[in-house]
Amino acid sequence: MDRKNMLTGRPFDDLRAILAQLPDADDCAAKKVREALAGKPVDSTSGLAELAAWAASWQGSSNPSIAESHICVLASSYEGQDTSSVTDYIEATSKGAAAVNLLCVEKGIGLRAIQLAPEMPHPSDGDWSEQDCMAAVAFGMEATAAGGNILGLTDMAPGNAERAVAIILAVKGLQSDDTLLAAVDKDFANNVKVLLARVQGAEGDPLEVMRRLGGREIAAAVGALVAARSRRLPVLTDGWAAIAATVVLDALVDGATGHVLPAASDNPMQALAWHLIGKTPIVGLEIGGGPGCGIAIGVSVLGAACAMLGLRDRTQ
């Protein structure tokens, strides 16, 4: 996607214009996959069969593939958080020492980090301009630069859980005492309520909510998901940035993230957040191996789904 095409007016208006032109799923490809699986010795209505049809619909092919899968880590930080954990993680991945490296090597998955100035923490008051916010959105579009068959999107941004939960509650029009906060401690809940106070009167504008509450990795996740949709690139996610980005985009355009599936949840609160959004993680376990691990496992499950198309037809 040419980012220069976004510079035609107010940045958020440009993004809305892009969203209005995103391609639809290829229902014909999905139908062919379902018909093919109906003749195989498998349950063509199973979750795996639906995964294969989903991949086909967004790749635009009746022979979906995970052959070229890439995971992108959006690295950022917030004031008051330990930024060393971000830089340490990036260094570990560059040396092949993180858990996600092991899983990626085993499955032949590419891995890269997009560093969104983690050494310069996002201000705690969320005071950044629409232009700066959209610059992060545009930068996030680079997550799709490697192309391929599947994009994995995750983040490393300590402190973004509170931001993401606040965005979910504000955009979905839920009360701050919603069940999503029942699973957290008092301090977390109080911090979310403070964040929600910043968007009073702006709840009807998802992009403004994102600007006031989100950091660079959340804005970049929005850009990555938009760019992936424009390329017909299915996306598997884990982490809070993708959850927040999904809520924002679906509030702007119904079904905007049809090409996005959560690979896994890291904790019960993320699982509940995905439930509120209406998506179910591919992997039911709480992975807990660090950013990207759930995606690597999810890619394996998706690969198994696609492989079923290679089964011999059921004998009559």
Side-chain angles (χ1 to χ4, degrees):
M1 180 180 297
D2 185 357
R3 285 184 284 174
K4 292 182 180 179
N5 289 335
M6 298 172 61
L7 306 177
T8 57
R10 292 186 66 242
F12 284 170
D13 288 343
D14 294 332
L15 179 57
R16 291 186 181 93
I18 291 173
L19 289 172
Q21 300 175 30
L22 292 178
D24 293 327
D26 186 339
D27 293 334
C28 182
K31 181 180 179 181
K32 288 181 179 179
V33 165
R34 292 189 179 96
E35 290 175 345
L37 289 175
K40 309 290 184 182
V42 297
D43 182 355
S44 61
T45 63
S46 68
L48 284 179
E50 282 305 304
L51 273 179
W54 170 80
S57 71
W58 292 109
Q59 290 179 1
S61 169
S62 58
N63 186 30
S65 172
I66 63 161
E68 293 185 45
S69 298
H70 306 272
I71 296 176
C72 182
V73 184
L74 303 174
S76 185
S77 64
Y78 291 87
E79 280 184 351
Q81 300 293 323
D82 180 12
T83 60
S84 65
S85 63
V86 182
T87 54
D88 289 348
Y89 175 79
I90 293 173
E91 182 179 3
T93 58
S94 68
K95 295 179 178 179
V100 68
N101 291 107
L102 176 64
L103 295 175
C104 285
V105 169
E106 181 183 3
K107 302 301 179 183
I109 301 170
L111 177 67
R112 66 180 291 223
I114 292 182
Q115 298 189 48
L116 299 154
E119 73 283 357
M120 299 175 60
H122 189 74
S124 58
D125 61 4
D127 186 17
W128 62 335
S129 68
E130 184 174 315
Q131 289 74 17
D132 287 341
C133 184
M134 275 303 301
V137 171
F139 199 48
M141 292 180 176
E142 297 300 324
T144 64
N149 304 116
I150 301 292
L151 171 66
L153 188 67
T154 186
D155 70 87
M156 180 59 176
N160 70 348
E162 295 173 354
R163 308 278 181 148
V165 170
I167 289 172
I168 294 168
L169 295 176
V171 173
K172 300 288 284 185
L174 302 173
Q175 298 299 315
S176 60
D177 60 351
D178 186 79
T179 54
L180 191 57
L181 294 183
V184 301
D185 59 41
K186 185 176 180 180
D187 287 341
F188 187 106
N190 287 337
N191 290 339
V192 170
K193 292 175 183 178
V194 170
L195 290 169
L196 287 170
R198 296 181 187 169
V199 293
Q200 286 185 352
E203 295 91 341
D205 186 345
L207 293 177
E208 180 62 14
V209 170
M210 177 184 72
R211 184 189 74 80
R212 296 188 191 184
L213 300 183
R216 300 182 195 107
E217 82 293 344
I218 292 176
V222 166
L225 297 186
V226 170
R229 176 71 176 256
S230 72
R231 288 174 175 245
R232 295 186 179 277
L233 186 61
V235 184
L236 298 185
T237 72
D238 66 21
W240 283 110
I243 296 176
T246 297
V247 168
V248 168
L249 289 172
D250 279 344
L252 289 167
V253 176
D254 186 35
T257 65
H259 64 305
V260 179
L261 286 180
S265 300
D266 291 331
N267 51 60
M269 188 163 55
Q270 285 189 2
L272 179 56
W274 281 120
H275 176 73
L276 289 173
I277 296 170
K279 294 180 183 283
T280 302
I282 293 173
V283 181
L285 297 173
E286 294 168 18
I287 303 303
C293 287
I295 295 172
I297 296 171
V299 169
S300 295
V301 177
L302 182 57
C306 296
M308 292 195 303
L309 288 164
L311 291 170
R312 291 184 178 181
D313 286 348
R314 185 185 295 111
T315 57
Q316 299 299 323

